[in-house]
Amino acid sequence: MQIHNMFSKSLKATHVKANTDNLAPLLIEEDRKLNSQKNIQHKIAIKAQHLTLQYGKKKILNDVSLEVHLGEVTALLGPNGTGKSSLLKLLCGEVPLTQQNNLNASLQYFGKPAVSWDKQQLARHLGMLPQSSTLSFPFLVEEVVELGGLPLNASKAELNLIAREKMKQVGILPMAKQLYPQLSGGEKQRVHLARVLTQLHYAQSNRIFMLDEPTSALDLSHQHNTLQLVKDMAKTGTAVVVVLHDLNLAAQYADRILLLDQGDIMSDGNAWNTLTASNIEQVYGQKVLLSEHPQHGFPVIMPA
């Protein structure tokens, strides 16, 4: 009996060791991915300093400085006219720094001054999805999406494969042969989302994706699908900057929230630290109640 017990213990120990040996490579790979993600999240994608913007006598942004990191979704929130879209346009270069009154203003992408980037090279690393796009020519949907491939120097066959992949990703592949002008506003928004994803296809690292109110014309399911898509991109190392109006969507999907008020950043942090009842009342002039989502733990905001 004693020999049998010793033999059983030996078998169990051998079995445990075999399982541990099999598990070790998986644990090492998992640890490598976690460490890689930590390193990504500490890398600065955008560094902007002293951004000031003024149209006539109206000051839009007042000496704003910030850093945006890879691997994070950063949401810009604030009431209408507070400078969210203007800040995004400055960060992506649509509004040049030369239009500012502050000579100390600077903008860098991945440690390199924005003005030093070759435009075609930068277009492969930085994509911007605007609020709306004016396009009235009778292009097919797939042709609009393929416009995102202009900076890629891809063959026509390769570009077609990339575009179809992105159309499938955003759920518009069945519309590929439809005329773009005949689509609804929400469908057009998703077409341009696929276009920008096509543009960024080759940038597997050092990738910045900016979106200006991407959910404004979308129904409930497509709002969440779009924000989950960019959340997943952030998890693989993309720096995402998104302008939103819906506080609850920002609370659910953003890793970091910048709350703007009259051209200034009044709060910067995660959803619980930024979207407090006092902050929301101060910025929006609305009393609110906050509760915790029963499954996912993010704050849920309701009018008081």
Side-chain angles (χ1 to χ4, degrees), residues 232-243:
D232 292 341
M233 289 178 67
K235 289 178 180 177
T236 60
T238 302
V240 177
V241 186
V242 55
V243 171

Side-chain angles (χ1 to χ4, degrees), residues 175-302:
M175 306 176 194
K177 299 297 183 182
Q178 292 185 34
L179 290 173
Y180 171 83
Q182 296 177 355
L183 302 182
S184 70
E187 289 169 337
K188 289 178 179 177
Q189 207 161 16
R190 290 157 61 204
V191 170
H192 287 288
L193 174 60
R195 174 181 59 78
V196 181
L197 292 175
T198 298
Q199 175 186 329
L200 296 173
H201 177 74
Y202 285 145
Q204 298 304 312
S205 62
N206 289 354
R207 182 166 58 181
I208 302 168
F209 191 11
M210 301 188 190
L211 307 92
D212 194 356
E213 299 185 32
T215 60
S216 59
L218 301 181
D219 58 35
L220 181 64
S221 64
H222 288 118
Q223 288 179 13
H224 287 278
N225 290 343
T226 296
L227 292 177
Q228 187 60 57
L229 185 152
V230 298
K231 180 77 169 179
D232 292 341
M233 289 178 67
K235 289 178 180 177
T236 60
T238 302
V240 177
V241 186
V242 55
V243 171
L244 292 171
H245 275 295
D246 191 316
L247 303 186
N248 285 308
L249 287 176
Q252 181 171 355
Y253 291 101
D255 301 298
R256 175 189 178 196
I257 294 173
L258 301 183
L259 186 57
L260 276 71
D261 185 24
Q262 298 180 1
D264 294 305
I265 297 175
M266 70 86 63
S267 186
D268 178 358
N270 63 34
W272 280 108
N273 292 334
T274 304
L275 297 179
T276 64
S278 60
N279 281 352
I280 293 171
E281 183 176 0
Q282 178 182 335
V283 172
Y284 291 92
Q286 172 69 48
K287 293 183 180 294
V288 297
L289 300 173
L290 276 77
S291 62
E292 183 176 334
H293 191 281
Q295 289 181 305
H296 303 295
F298 54 80
V300 177
I301 299 106
M302 300 165 286

